[in-house]
Amino acid sequence: MADKALIQALVEAWGPSGHEYMVRALIESYVRELADELRVDNAGNLICRMGGGGKKIMIAAHMDEIGLVISALDKPGFARFTMTGGLILLSLIGNRVRFADGTIGTIGIEGNALFPTEMPTIRQLFIDFSMNSENGGTVRVGDHAALTRELAVRGDRLIAKSMDDRIGCAVAIEAMRALKGKSLPNELYFVFTTQEEVGSRGARVAANSIAPDYGITLDVTATGDTPKNNRMAVRLGGGAAIKVVDSGHIVPPAIKELMIRRAEAAGVRYQLEVLSGGTTDASAIQTALSGIPSGVISIPCRYVHTTSETVDINDVQACIDLLVALLEQPFEV
């Protein structure tokens, strides 16, 4: 079963968009002995090559998480902020953030809104980083922060901030472990990408550099299995989600069908994903160079972009198994 200790280390790490260096160092410590070649490009992507010969396959999972950046200082110990990525404002009040130096801040709302029931504006929110009545702390304009929360386990359910997309990184690392020592028919490039939450910038740079024949992205997707929510056929515990379409990417039918065939041949549980909002690094990879056909293996996840993103470990394992089944054989589309 998927390595819970690995997942915990990844989801609890600090790495908002554009500041992925701590996560990258952590991932490098896991993959250094697995890759035939390892490098960091100018966009901060960690690129790990395995094998040589056959089709070039780029496997992308993004390291960054949604975060915020201090835009102005208010009264001593308080600051205003703007977002890096799609924070849900109503979920922020009372949540804690962590800065790169370890400073913890608390997000508050102006006035006496003890029980807010409507979506606040970002202008109403602030961060309290005060140390004591005499010391306002060391936070400065331009400092970045990320939400902070420890991993919780509830049966097969894993709950944490930044499952998006550290769980995709975990799937990639586990696949590398499973493929190590095998005679690979494809030249694999496992890429742990930067700045996905602000426009898939790292993936685009990496795809232009690697020039793969095909791309596979690993990322989370929403579910339709919570109360009064029947807009998606994806559910926790239903297996790996094979993407059909999202708002930025229509998966080539041949790649979708290859994923289905490999899943069925390997006995991997799967479900089909139609996502009406949101996209992944595949949207950038597919338009790199003269076009790179790309597919997506999605990990079902409830409460995306909150501090309680929830996945099922059986789905995580199904995604690992599907990825290995795709990569240990020739990529015949």
Side-chain angles (χ1 to χ4, degrees), residues 250-306:
I250 299 173
V251 177
I255 291 183
K256 180 197 69 176
E257 293 302 325
L258 174 64
M259 289 186 173
I260 291 172
R261 290 197 305 272
R262 294 285 169 84
E264 292 177 346
V268 175
R269 295 186 70 192
Y270 72 91
Q271 47 197 325
L272 297 179
E273 174 206 354
V274 175
L275 182 66
S276 59
T279 191
T280 72
D281 275 342
S283 63
I285 296 169
Q286 69 169 341
T287 56
L289 300 173
S290 58
I292 299 166
S294 301
V296 182
I297 299 174
S298 297
I299 304 97
C301 184
R302 292 178 186 161
Y303 321 122
V304 176
H305 284 200
T306 73

Side-chain angles (χ1 to χ4, degrees), residues 31 34-35 48 50 171-180 190 192:
V31 303
L34 302 175
C48 310
M50 296 182 73
V171 168
I173 293 168
E174 293 274 40
M176 292 178 70
R177 288 172 170 174
L179 294 168
K180 180 66 176 177
F190 287 86
F192 300 91

Side-chain angles (χ1 to χ4, degrees), residues 141-330:
V141 170
D143 284 353
H144 285 253
L147 298 169
T148 185
R149 188 72 67 90
E150 294 179 348
L151 173 76
V153 179
R154 186 180 66 230
D156 289 336
R157 305 290 158 83
L158 309 180
I159 308 161
K161 62 91 178 170
S162 73
M163 284 292 182
D164 180 12
D165 182 36
R166 307 288 168 66
I167 197 65
C169 295
V171 168
I173 293 168
E174 293 274 40
M176 292 178 70
R177 288 172 170 174
L179 294 168
K180 180 66 176 177
K182 292 188 177 183
S183 179
L184 299 174
N186 309 297
E187 186 172 328
L188 308 179
Y189 290 84
F190 287 86
V191 185
F192 300 91
T193 65
T194 59
Q195 298 193 49
E196 189 272 350
E197 296 290 358
V198 290
S200 293
R201 298 167 185 173
R204 184 173 291 105
V205 171
N208 283 323
S209 171
I210 295 167
D213 296 293
Y214 300 101
I216 300 173
T217 292
L218 310 170
D219 210 335
V220 299
T221 190
T223 69
D225 59 353
T226 53
K228 295 187 178 181
N229 179 8
N230 59 0
R231 291 174 294 177
M232 286 186 72
V234 175
R235 63 182 180 86
L236 286 196
I242 297 173
K243 189 181 292 290
V244 178
V245 62
D246 63 30
S247 61
H249 180 208
I250 299 173
V251 177
I255 291 183
K256 180 197 69 176
E257 293 302 325
L258 174 64
M259 289 186 173
I260 291 172
R261 290 197 305 272
R262 294 285 169 84
E264 292 177 346
V268 175
R269 295 186 70 192
Y270 72 91
Q271 47 197 325
L272 297 179
E273 174 206 354
V274 175
L275 182 66
S276 59
T279 191
T280 72
D281 275 342
S283 63
I285 296 169
Q286 69 169 341
T287 56
L289 300 173
S290 58
I292 299 166
S294 301
V296 182
I297 299 174
S298 297
I299 304 97
C301 184
R302 292 178 186 161
Y303 321 122
V304 176
H305 284 200
T306 73
T307 55
S308 296
E309 295 175 333
T310 303
V311 302
D312 188 297
I313 196 165
N314 298 291
D315 295 338
V316 177
Q317 186 61 51
C319 291
I320 296 166
D321 294 341
L322 175 54
L323 182 58
V324 171
L326 280 168
L327 299 179
E328 66 183 358
Q329 304 174 53

